[in-house]
Each structure stands twice: as C-alpha cells, then as structure tokens.
Amino acid sequence: MLQEFKEFIMRGNVMDLAVGVVMGSAFTAIVNALVDHIITPIITALTGNASVDDLFIQVGAAELRYGLFLQAIIDFLIVGAVLFVAIKAINKVMRKKEEEPEEEPIPVTEQYLKDIRDALVEQNQSTKLDATDDWPTHIE
C-alpha cells in the first residue's frame, strides 16, 4: 500500500497539479494586490466610495445585509476583468513567440546538394543558349 501511494504521488499528473495549485495561489495574491492597492483606490477616487457592503434592509428583527453580497459580486467582476486582461496579454506574448520560429542552420550535406543543383541549373541554361546560337532565328 505504501508503494502504491508513492507511485501515485510521483505520477506526473499529481506533480503537475501540485505545481498548478501553488502557482495559482501565487497568481491570486498578485491579482488581489493589484485590485486592492491599485484598481480599488482608482475607483474610490472616481466615485468617492468603493464599498457597498454597509447596505442592508431591516425586516422585523432580522437585518438583511445585501450590500455584502453586492460587494462580493463587484469584487468578483473586478478580479475577473483584471484576470481577463492579464491572460489576454500573456496569450498575445506567447502567440508572438510561437510565430517567430528560429531559423535552423542548414546541414552541410544539404548545402552541398543545393550548390550542386544550382550549378547544374546554371550549366543547363548556358548549354541551351549555346545550342540555340547555330539555329536560324526564322524559318523561310
């Protein structure tokens, strides 16, 4: 059983998943910092208030704090928009990198074959010109 667990843990899928979770949490911290410290202050500067979480309705003795729900939706939309822009920019950079393939050097044997081909074509063209010099240019 211990051996099976070791094989399960060392499988590529589990390791890839673990790396993805760690990178996802690190990226989440970056996005949250961007939203909390840059986007939200800009919204506050433009609107005067960036929070609606203090809104509520009194129903009898109960207090329905719908503002917290609205604030969660707003935060979700802001984070989603920031993620969309970030992922779109990353994909654009990755596509540009894929479009520019590196030129591979031509192997020496292939270069020799191309040189021979070019020499044969040149020789063939010069013999065609020499052969046509003796022919009449018009027929009577």
Side-chain angles (χ1 to χ4, degrees), residues 33-136:
L34 176 66
V35 169
D36 292 342
H37 303 296
I38 295 175
I39 305 294
T40 302
I42 291 172
I43 292 172
T44 302
L46 294 175
T47 63
N49 188 7
S51 178
V52 293
D53 58 358
D54 56 346
L55 299 175
F56 67 93
I57 295 176
Q58 190 74 33
V59 179
E63 189 175 86
L64 301 177
R65 300 187 56 87
Y66 70 92
L68 291 172
F69 178 69
L70 289 176
Q71 189 64 46
I73 291 173
I74 291 169
D75 291 344
F76 172 78
L77 291 174
I78 292 171
V79 169
V82 169
L83 276 174
F84 174 75
V85 170
I87 299 291
K88 190 169 175 126
I90 290 169
N91 286 339
K92 185 176 182 179
V93 168
M94 296 302 286
R95 264 189 256 115
K96 186 178 269 188
K97 196 180 273 188
E98 289 174 2
E99 290 174 0
E100 299 173 358
E102 295 180 17
E103 289 186 28
E104 296 180 17
I106 299 173
V108 175
T109 55
E110 212 172 293
Q111 185 60 45
Y112 286 151
L113 290 172
K114 285 183 180 183
D115 292 343
I116 292 169
R117 179 200 61 201
D118 294 344
L120 287 172
V121 167
E122 185 178 310
Q123 181 183 9
N124 192 19
Q125 287 177 349
S126 67
T127 56
K128 282 183 184 177
L129 292 176
D130 291 342
T132 57
D133 287 344
D134 293 338
W135 291 88

